[in-house]
Amino acid sequence: MATSSTPSFSSPAPPPSSSSSSSSSSASANNYDIPWVEKYRPTRVSDVVGNADAVSRLQVIARDGNMPNVILSGPPGTGKTTSILALAHELLGPNYREAVLELNASDDRGIDVVRNKIKMFAQKKVTLSPGRHKIVILDEADSMTSGAQQALRRTMEIYSNTTRFALACNTSSKIIEPIQSRCALVRFSRLSDQEILSRLMIVVAAEKVPYVPEGIEAIIFTADGDMRQALNNLQATFSGFRFVNQENVFKVCDQPHPLHVKNMVRNVLEGRFDDACSGLKQLYDLGYSPTDIITTLFRIIKNYDMAEYLKLEFLKETGFAHMRICDGVGSFLQLSGLLAKLALVRETAKAP
């Protein structure tokens, strides 16, 4: 099935018989305790899905053992934390527990923690194989205060013989330049639909999840390149409905149904402006946030079959409206104005 463009969103197939549902529920009853995100988290760098260039660089480090300080940068759910934890496990083996310090954004990571906790860990004596180092993992490093980052750069230099630092962040530009210059930068990007599909099918087979292809397409659409989101949506849909189809997925994820948004775009392109506005009003009255509506609209336009120059103009206007909504300007007014602007672009394009 094609997953690179907007899902087809055809009508869902009927759910399986109650006997198959009950058998699958009894089979998975024992697995409720562990979220599938954790249960199927890769333990080796080579098992990480997607970002082949970044993963191959980390595989070389795991093989040779010569780990530099690294910054792993990219969107959430693309495998940054998983990769660095798998790398630490491969490098340190049984010494992992005593030779790795992991701090997340939920932990206190102010200047005092850097001066005390991280410094104390860097000074600690741990017996490791030749060529191996202790590892400090700082997840969500872009949320560290500037003072903490300033204190960290000196620690990185003083203890460079025994300790290596791995910083995971969403935006590398929020890490101060002195730290960036001390680290190798590894960039992660959103996963492709095909990469998410391949891992979803493994989990579906292992958990015996009943599904129809449209349901898997809907999960891939809602995930938007985020593997963590895809697995959570799959588990939530299965737990709630025992069957993965398109309707159940959009109920669980509570995103505007792409079919409604697609109809809005089609009405604009066909000159039925009033119908497009009534479709927008329906979505808005259902309580969807304007950000959700405009994000879905952007992705529908991006994959819609229309003239290239028209698509570019539509995307440009959608981006401007998104920017104004993020600034806090009246949301429904901006969404209605966006539809009017799209209709104007379409009329202008038709004019000789």
Side-chain angles (χ1 to χ4, degrees):
M1 88 181 148
T3 55
S4 58
S5 60
T6 311
S8 54
F9 302 114
S10 55
S11 57
S17 63
S18 57
S19 60
S20 62
S21 294
S22 59
S23 63
S24 63
S25 82
S26 60
S28 63
N30 300 328
N31 300 329
Y32 272 152
D33 298 336
I34 309 173
W36 292 352
V37 172
E38 297 302 327
K39 186 175 179 182
Y40 295 99
R41 187 188 287 272
T43 53
R44 299 181 62 80
V45 177
S46 55
D47 295 336
V48 176
V49 176
N51 292 292
D53 291 343
V55 170
S56 62
R57 287 176 66 185
L58 296 177
Q59 278 183 278
V60 171
I61 293 172
R63 187 188 67 222
D64 299 343
N66 185 21
M67 179 179 170
N69 295 317
V70 291
I71 295 176
L72 286 79
S73 162
T78 52
K80 302 184 300 295
T81 306
T82 296
S83 298
I84 200 62
L85 289 174
L87 177 64
H89 274 290
E90 286 192 50
L91 285 174
L92 300 171
N95 297 315
Y96 175 87
R97 292 182 79 82
E98 55 182 2
V100 172
L101 173 67
E102 185 188 1
L103 295 174
N104 199 289
S106 54
D107 302 309
D108 179 20
R109 292 185 314 189
I111 194 165
D112 293 335
V113 171
V114 175
R115 284 178 176 158
N116 300 322
K117 195 169 184 178
I118 295 179
K119 203 169 179 181
M120 291 284 286
F121 175 78
Q123 290 172 342
K124 188 173 77 169
K125 292 271 190 294
V126 178
T127 307
L128 299 172
S129 309
R132 297 290 189 262
H133 304 84
K134 289 176 292 182
I135 299 175
V136 177
I137 300 172
L138 298 172
D139 211 349
E140 312 294 344
D142 45 1
S143 63
M144 287 179 74
T145 63
S146 178
Q149 292 188 40
Q150 294 287 359
L152 184 64
R153 63 181 188 172
R154 185 70 181 136
T155 308
M156 289 171 78
E157 279 185 351
I158 294 173
Y159 301 102
S160 59
N161 288 336
T162 60
T163 309
R164 293 288 186 266
F165 289 77
L167 288 72
C169 61
N170 292 5
T171 339
S172 60
S173 57
K174 291 185 180 177
I175 307 288
I176 59 172
E177 288 191 13
I179 288 183
Q180 287 189 47
S181 69
R182 290 169 168 81
C183 297
L185 185 59
V186 181
R187 290 200 187 279
F188 284 70
S189 57
R190 290 190 182 280
L191 304 181
S192 72
D193 291 352
Q194 199 61 46
E195 288 164 345
I196 291 182
L197 174 66
S198 64
R199 182 49 61 95
L200 281 180
M201 297 317 292
I202 292 172
V203 175
V204 161
E207 297 290 336
K208 299 182 175 59
V209 177
Y211 71 97
V212 290
E214 292 81 11
I216 300 295
E217 284 181 344
I219 282 176
I220 291 170
F221 183 85
T222 54
D224 193 24
D226 182 335
M227 181 66 79
R228 185 191 300 129
Q229 182 85 61
L231 288 173
N232 280 333
N233 290 351
L234 177 67
Q235 186 173 14
T237 307
F238 178 57
S239 300
F241 296 97
R242 294 281 158 219
F243 181 62
V244 178
N245 66 11
Q246 189 190 111
E247 185 185 353
N248 293 344
V249 169
F250 286 115
K251 274 182 186 173
V252 166
C253 302
D254 206 23
Q255 288 188 10
H257 199 300
L259 199 56
H260 294 314
V261 181
K262 204 171 187 179
N263 287 337
M264 274 167 45
V265 176
R266 190 174 67 246
N267 286 332
V268 167
L269 287 170
E270 293 175 358
R272 296 197 297 270
F273 181 69
D274 288 345
D275 292 343
C277 282
S278 64
L280 172 64
K281 185 77 167 71
Q282 281 178 1
L283 279 178
Y284 195 79
D285 289 345
L286 284 170
Y288 291 114
S289 81
T291 309
D292 281 344
I293 294 173
I294 205 162
T295 303
T296 307
L297 179 64
F298 184 87
R299 290 165 59 196
I300 291 292
I301 291 173
K302 189 172 69 173
N303 294 307
Y304 201 94
D305 184 19
M306 66 173 92
E308 192 71 20
Y309 66 92
L310 203 56
K311 183 183 288 189
L312 292 173
E313 286 297 319
F314 273 34
L315 290 175
K316 183 179 81 173
E317 296 301 339
T318 307
F320 282 138
H322 196 177
M323 184 174 67
R324 287 190 290 269
I325 286 172
C326 290
D327 286 342
V329 186
S331 306
F332 185 66
L333 176 68
Q334 291 301 325
L335 289 170
S336 304
L338 170 61
L339 290 186
K341 199 84 173 178
L342 297 183
L344 179 63
V345 166
R346 174 241 178 208
E347 286 300 323
T348 309
K350 280 178 62 180

